[in-house]
Amino acid sequence: MQYRIERRRGVAAYQQIIEQTKRALRTGALKVGDRLPTAREAAEACAVNPNTTLKAYRELEREGIVELRQGLGTFITRAPERHMAEAGSPLHAELSAWTERALLAGLNHDDVRELVELALEEHEGAGAAPIRRGTEERQTEVRQTAERKGDHR
C-alpha cells in the first residue's frame, strides 16, 4: 500500500490515509490479513509525522478495520462491503469516462472533485435539502469554469 497525500485538497493527512485504505479495501487492492506499511514507512513516503499515520491507523482500528499488533505491524482484519461501484463495474466505467472528458476539457482535479461533490449533494438524503459544504461563490465558480471549458453534461 502506497499512500499519497494531496496537501492542496484541504483534507487532513490522517483522513486521506483512512480514505485511501478504505478505497484499497473496496477495490480489492488490500485484503483481510494484509499488512499495512509501518507508521514510519508511511510517514517517510508521505512526508508527514509518524503520529499522523498512527492517528489514521488508530481510527481504522477503532472502526474494526485493522488491528495493531505490537512488534508485528498493522493488519487488515475486516473489509468494508463492496458495492456495485467497485473498479471494473459499469458505474465505474461511466464515471471514469466522464472524468476523462472533464480533464480533457481542461478542468483540474480539484474542479472535478467539486463537481462530484455538488452532484452528490444534489442527491443527498433522498430528496432532502442538500447540505452545502463550500460557499455558494465557490460552487458558482466551479460551474462557470466547467461551462467555459466546455463541460456539457
Side-chain angles (χ1 to χ4, degrees):
M1 176 79 206
Q2 183 75 27
Y3 295 110
R4 191 179 84 244
I5 303 302
E6 297 178 36
R7 301 196 190 300
R8 293 181 39 214
R9 234 182 104 197
V11 175
Y14 85 94
Q15 189 63 42
Q16 291 184 50
I17 291 170
I18 293 168
E19 290 171 0
Q20 291 173 34
T21 302
K22 289 179 179 180
R23 184 179 314 119
L25 283 163
R26 282 191 304 274
T27 62
L30 280 176
K31 295 175 182 37
V32 172
D34 285 351
R35 182 181 170 278
L36 294 178
T38 66
R40 178 167 288 144
E41 291 168 346
E44 287 174 3
C46 297
V48 297
N49 188 301
N51 289 330
T52 300
T53 307
L54 285 173
K55 183 176 182 178
Y57 286 3
R58 285 188 191 110
E59 178 65 23
L60 289 165
E61 182 178 43
R62 190 186 64 72
E63 293 180 28
I65 294 173
V66 302
E67 178 183 15
L68 281 74
R69 300 178 190 160
Q70 188 67 29
L72 297 175
T74 303
F75 294 85
I76 302 295
T77 56
R78 180 180 62 83
E81 272 187 50
R82 294 176 80 179
H83 301 284
M84 277 187 57
E86 64 192 12
S89 73
L91 288 174
H92 178 264
E94 284 181 49
L95 182 58
S96 181
W98 177 86
T99 303
E100 182 178 13
R101 285 193 318 273
L103 293 170
L104 288 173
L107 273 66
N108 65 35
H109 287 204
D110 290 334
D111 291 337
V112 171
R113 279 188 193 92
E114 186 69 26
L115 285 172
V116 170
E117 285 292 327
L118 287 171
L120 286 171
E121 289 171 0
E122 289 171 10
H123 300 284
E124 202 167 284
I131 296 172
R132 297 289 177 210
R133 286 194 190 178
T135 64
E136 288 297 322
E137 294 83 16
R138 174 67 180 139
Q139 293 166 357
T140 301
E141 176 187 322
V142 169
R143 284 189 196 104
Q144 290 171 346
T145 301
E147 289 168 5
R148 276 195 310 274
K149 292 182 180 180
D151 181 40
H152 303 290
R153 289 179 276 165

